[in-house]
Amino acid sequence: MSELSPTERSTIHRGRKRAVTDRDALHAVLDAGLICHLAFVADGAPVVLPTGYGRHGDTLYLHGSTGAASLRAAGAGAEICVNVTLLDGIVYSRAVFHFSANYRSAVVHGQAEPVTGREEKLAALRVITEHLAPGSWDYAREPNQRELAATAVLALDLTEAAVKIRTGPPGDEPEDLDRPTWAGWLPLHRSWGTPRDCPLLPDGVAVPAHVTGRPAPDQDTRDSATG
Amino acid sequence: MSELSPTERSTIHRGRKRAVTDRDALHAVLDAGLICHLAFVADGAPVVLPTGYGRHGDTLYLHGSTGAASLRAAGAGAEICVNVTLLDGIVYSRAVFHFSANYRSAVVHGQAEPVTGREEKLAALRVITEHLAPGSWDYAREPNQRELAATAVLALDLTEAAVKIRTGPPGDEPEDLDRPTWAGWLPLHRSWGTPRDCPLLPDGVAVPAHVTGRPAPDQDTRDSATG
C-alpha cells in the first residue's frame, strides 16, 4: 500500500489518529461514494457544488456540461478540491462537546486537466457512467458527436489526497464515564428503493438485471468496530 | 415565501427549470441534511471539508475545533461557501448522455461571522447539536468553560443562497423514446440502524427515546413525482 501525499495542505492536523495513509483506503472511499463535492475559486470566492465522478487507477474523472461555470472554472488549469464523504452514523456522547459523526472522507487537491481526445473522453465517460450506474455503458446508447462536444470531462490526479475515517463510540472525558447518560452511536444506512419506470417507456421493457440487482450502497462495515 | 437572492453567483444558470426560488425550500433542504460541505480558500486554493451545522431562522451555524484550519480560515471574515446535498436517486436514461441523479441541493455564499459571546455561543451550539442529534442538548452534559473556549462557532447568513432540486424520470431525446431500453430511476433511501452502546457504558443505562425514536432521515417524498 503506497503512502498518500505528504504536502502541507493534504496533511491532516486535526484528529490525526483518524487519518488513514494508504492508497487502498483512498480508493475504497472514492469507490463507495456516489457523488462528490467539487470546490473551485470564482472571482476570488470559493464555490462548492455536487458533481458526478468516477475513478480509474489514480485518476478521478469529473464531468458536466460545457456550459457549466464550475467545469469552466475548474478546467482552466485552476486549483480544485474534491471531497467524497460517506456519513456512517451519529455519535452520541455523555457531553455535548464530544458529539460527533462516524464517516469516511477523502479530500483530493490538484489542478484538473481537461480530457479532450475522442477516445480518451469516451473512456472517461465510461468510467463516470459505470460509477454512477454500473452496467449502463454497454446497455444504453453511446454519446453521439454532438453530445460528446457538449460534455466537459476533467481528469484529476489522486497524488495529493488525504483520507479520514472515524468509527465506533464517542471519546468522552474519563470523569463523565460514570454518568447515567447513554452514549454510543446510531448507524446510518443507505439502500436502494424499488426501480421506477419512466412513464414514457414502451410496453414490455423490463427493468434490467444491472438495475434490479445493483448491490446495496457500501455500508459501514465498521459499525461494529470499537476503534 | 420570500425569494432567494438574485446575485450573479447564486443565480443558477444550468438547468434553470430545476432552480427553486423560495426560502421554505432552502430551509427544507438544510433541515433534511445531516452534514454540510464547507468550502474556503487557503493560500489561493479551494478546500472543501465535511462539517457539522444547524439552522436557526435565516442563520446557518457551523462549528469545529478552534485548532481546525478550516474554521480559522473561514472565521477571519473570508468568503465561504456551504453546500448541503441530499442524493435521492440515480436516473437511468436511454442514452448515456442523459444519465443523471435526483437530488436536493442548497448552496450558500457569504462571509461567516465568528460567534463569541457565551450565551450566543451556547445557543448556537444547541442549534448544531439538536440538528445532528435531536433531543441531546437537554440530555447530555452542557459544555464547560474549557470546552466552550475550545469550540469555534461561525454564523452564516442565508441571504445569498440557491436551491436546486431534480426529481423523476430522465430527460431523453424524443428520437430515443421508442428504443427497447429501460429508463427510469432508482431511489436512494437513508435509514437509521440499531443504536450501538458505548462499551464503557455502566450497566443499566438504556438507550433514550430520542435515539430509539429518532425519525427516519428525510426520504425523497418526490420519488413518485414525474416532474
Side-chain angles (χ1 to χ4, degrees):
Chain A
M1 296 185 297
S2 62
E3 291 283 304
L4 294 177
S5 68
T7 66
E8 170 62 19
R9 66 182 173 182
S10 71
T11 298
I12 292 170
H13 296 282
R14 302 298 311 168
R16 260 165 291 199
K17 64 180 175 180
R18 291 173 197 153
V20 176
T21 55
D22 70 80
R23 199 146 282 278
D24 290 350
L26 172 67
H27 293 174
V29 172
L30 295 176
D31 294 352
L34 288 163
I35 58 164
C36 71
H37 279 80
L38 165 66
F40 56 95
V41 179
D43 298 328
V47 179
V48 49
L49 297 172
T51 305
Y53 74 98
R55 179 188 72 85
H56 180 73
D58 275 313
T59 302
L60 197 75
Y61 292 107
L62 307 162
H63 81 320
S65 164
T66 49
S70 58
L71 271 286
R72 284 204 309 271
E79 292 281 340
I80 64 171
C81 183
V82 170
N83 182 285
V84 173
T85 295
L86 295 142
L87 182 64
D88 292 324
I90 306 298
V91 179
Y92 291 73
S93 53
R94 291 134 179 113
V96 160
F97 182 70
H98 286 291
F99 271 68
S100 187
N102 284 333
Y103 61 91
R104 291 161 284 164
S105 181
V107 181
V108 186
H109 305 268
Q111 294 181 6
E113 294 292 326
V115 177
T116 51
R118 177 185 160 78
E119 290 313 311
E120 294 75 8
K121 211 165 170 180
L122 283 171
L125 288 173
R126 173 192 279 267
V127 168
I128 295 167
T129 303
E130 288 294 300
H131 179 87
L132 190 72
S136 294
W137 185 268
D138 290 333
Y139 179 80
R141 176 175 64 72
E142 268 199 22
N144 59 33
Q145 205 55 38
R146 182 186 57 76
E147 291 168 339
L148 211 54
T151 306
V153 181
L154 301 176
L156 176 65
D157 194 278
L158 294 180
T159 301
E160 195 180 349
V163 175
K164 206 165 166 183
I165 295 175
R166 194 203 187 284
T167 62
D172 272 307
E173 306 296 326
E175 59 267 31
D176 287 328
L177 296 179
D178 290 336
R179 288 177 177 267
T181 305
W182 183 78
W185 68 106
L186 187 61
L188 182 67
H189 297 302
R190 301 182 297 161
S191 60
W192 299 117
T194 306
R196 308 290 186 106
D197 286 350
C198 173
L200 303 177
L201 212 60
D203 287 343
V205 179
V207 188
H210 66 269
V211 178
T212 54
R214 180 164 186 169
D218 182 31
Q219 301 302 339
D220 180 21
T221 51
R222 302 168 204 82
D223 276 354
S224 54
T226 54
Chain B
M1 298 185 295
S2 62
E3 290 283 305
L4 295 177
S5 68
T7 66
E8 170 62 19
R9 67 183 172 180
S10 71
T11 298
I12 292 169
H13 296 281
R14 301 299 310 168
R16 260 165 291 197
K17 64 180 175 179
R18 289 172 198 155
V20 176
T21 54
D22 70 79
R23 198 147 281 277
D24 290 349
L26 171 66
H27 293 174
V29 172
L30 295 176
D31 295 351
L34 289 163
I35 58 165
C36 71
H37 279 79
L38 165 67
F40 56 94
V41 179
D43 298 328
V47 179
V48 49
L49 296 172
T51 305
Y53 74 98
R55 179 187 72 85
H56 180 73
D58 275 315
T59 302
L60 197 75
Y61 292 107
L62 307 161
H63 81 320
S65 164
T66 49
S70 57
L71 272 286
R72 284 204 309 272
E79 291 281 341
I80 64 172
C81 182
V82 170
N83 183 286
V84 172
T85 296
L86 295 142
L87 183 63
D88 292 323
I90 306 299
V91 179
Y92 291 73
S93 53
R94 291 134 180 113
V96 159
F97 181 71
H98 285 292
F99 271 68
S100 186
N102 284 334
Y103 61 90
R104 290 161 285 164
S105 180
V107 182
V108 186
H109 305 269
Q111 293 181 8
E113 294 293 323
V115 177
T116 52
R118 178 185 158 78
E119 291 313 310
E120 293 77 8
K121 211 164 169 179
L122 283 171
L125 288 172
R126 173 191 278 265
V127 168
I128 295 167
T129 303
E130 288 295 299
H131 179 86
L132 190 73
S136 295
W137 184 268
D138 290 332
Y139 179 79
R141 176 174 66 70
E142 268 200 22
N144 60 32
Q145 205 54 40
R146 182 186 57 76
E147 291 169 340
L148 211 54
T151 307
V153 180
L154 300 176
L156 177 63
D157 192 278
L158 294 180
T159 301
E160 196 180 349
V163 175
K164 206 166 163 181
I165 294 175
R166 194 205 186 284
T167 62
D172 272 306
E173 305 296 327
E175 59 266 32
D176 287 328
L177 295 179
D178 290 336
R179 286 177 179 266
T181 305
W182 183 79
W185 66 108
L186 187 61
L188 181 66
H189 296 302
R190 302 181 296 161
S191 60
W192 300 116
T194 306
R196 309 290 186 105
D197 287 349
C198 173
L200 304 177
L201 211 60
D203 286 344
V205 179
V207 187
H210 65 269
V211 178
T212 54
R214 181 166 186 167
D218 183 32
Q219 300 301 339
D220 181 21
T221 52
R222 303 168 205 81
D223 276 356
S224 54
T226 54

